[in-house]
Amino acid sequence: MTTELEDLAGRLREFARVREWERFHTPKNLAMALAGEVGELVAEFQWLTAEESGSPDPDALARMRTELGDVTLYLVRLADVLGVDLLEAAQSKLDDNELRYDADSYRGSARKAPPSPPAT
Amino acid sequence: MTTELEDLAGRLREFARVREWERFHTPKNLAMALAGEVGELVAEFQWLTAEESGSPDPDALARMRTELGDVTLYLVRLADVLGVDLLEAAQSKLDDNELRYDADSYRGSARKAPPSPPAT
Amino acid sequence: MTTELEDLAGRLREFARVREWERFHTPKNLAMALAGEVGELVAEFQWLTAEESGSPDPDALARMRTELGDVTLYLVRLADVLGVDLLEAAQSKLDDNELRYDADSYRGSARKAPPSPPAT
Amino acid sequence: MTTELEDLAGRLREFARVREWERFHTPKNLAMALAGEVGELVAEFQWLTAEESGSPDPDALARMRTELGDVTLYLVRLADVLGVDLLEAAQSKLDDNELRYDADSYRGSARKAPPSPPAT
């Protein structure tokens, strides 16, 4: 991971250690907590039109920022507990997507590509 | 954001541009896509015990890594489109949590703290 | 619950019993499975405009129907394992919402009502 | 649907009509709202052990019941707006699952069955 993501992961390790919360931070529980926070993030957009979502008012943007922060905390913590490098996992997935969704075939289209071997 | 998160955001901008996918990437749609990927991540853990989730077999870990990659891609893309700095949002939220969940009162306990002003 | 929801819950109990799956069907696991299926449902809508979502083509509608079926199965199973009557819980919540969102104050507006005591 | 699910769907139609909220109730938005509520439901379980989740204290059970009610409201509303019969969709999916997960092969095992044609 990057130095700053590593720093955040380290801060989260200490945060859990000092409060003796490690036993709650099983990957299973962290995945659930992440899902809970993503639910709160989604709720910020549910009644907005696409256009409104692109230009949120300051209060709405502040709430979105808060929820994005919560999601990031649990994502980084979960990856750290599992020993997964988030940046590498993301870059690797994007490499795959660049091959599967070649620009000529998929320009302007949202259709899903067939699974590439090995099946994800 | 960090140089590497900025690099990833930049790669995602180009990925969308080349395929003329920007019109699909409204924050509303990206939040939904993020929720969809978090659903796939959660599904990797749903039948595991807490212990199994902490020591996944290689195939399971590989699938978790793939889903963590997908979640990261949409999170970084959503934050970039909204103009939110993910690292700052996360650090800021962790600062708040350190104040709200003081170690003496919350050691070993998973109970939720009352909301701190201003209400989130 | 209704006779048909009770029938479905009974079918699900038998389905789990015959396969000796009860030990996987803790409420915690069932809540995760429900979240996973809702993720799949949300993915069917993520790139659609609001209008497209209201008039899906036959294939898309068939996939939405499948995911709605999966979500319903886990919701009914989770409620049954917890001993919660889904219909009563829903009617009761709708009674609350009718009081909190009085038509005169909320007509045409999507804003959230303040929490009503006791806090939900 | 059953008479009681139909009654609930009818109550929800009237609830939206009286408040002039139909324009917010596109399937896309309702799917997001459902995801948001499932996030709140999942949060009730995230720090519980499997055993604790099976025997929640009265306050926790009351909160789970509330969230199950919210999830049911959006699920019924979404299905109604799409014209999908939830009970039929669920029974149909369970028929499929009974064929795919034959008891002799899957007894006691949580492994996923290969997709059955046509691919879901």
Side-chain angles (χ1 to χ4, degrees), chain C residues 37-85:
Chain C
E37 296 296 342
V38 169
E40 292 192 33
L41 175 66
V42 160
E44 290 300 328
F45 295 94
Q46 66 195 40
W47 304 128
L48 302 183
T49 63
E51 295 67 38
E52 288 166 347
S53 83
S55 308
D57 64 60
D59 288 342
L61 184 60
R63 290 192 306 268
M64 291 168 185
R65 186 175 176 272
T66 293
E67 300 309 336
L68 285 166
D70 283 337
V71 169
T72 303
L73 289 177
Y74 279 121
L75 181 63
V76 169
R77 179 66 179 150
L78 170 57
D80 186 51
V81 170
L82 281 174
V84 169
D85 183 324

Side-chain angles (χ1 to χ4, degrees), chain A residues 7 16 31 34 75 88 115:
Chain A
D7 286 349
L34 177 61
L75 181 63
E88 272 191 40

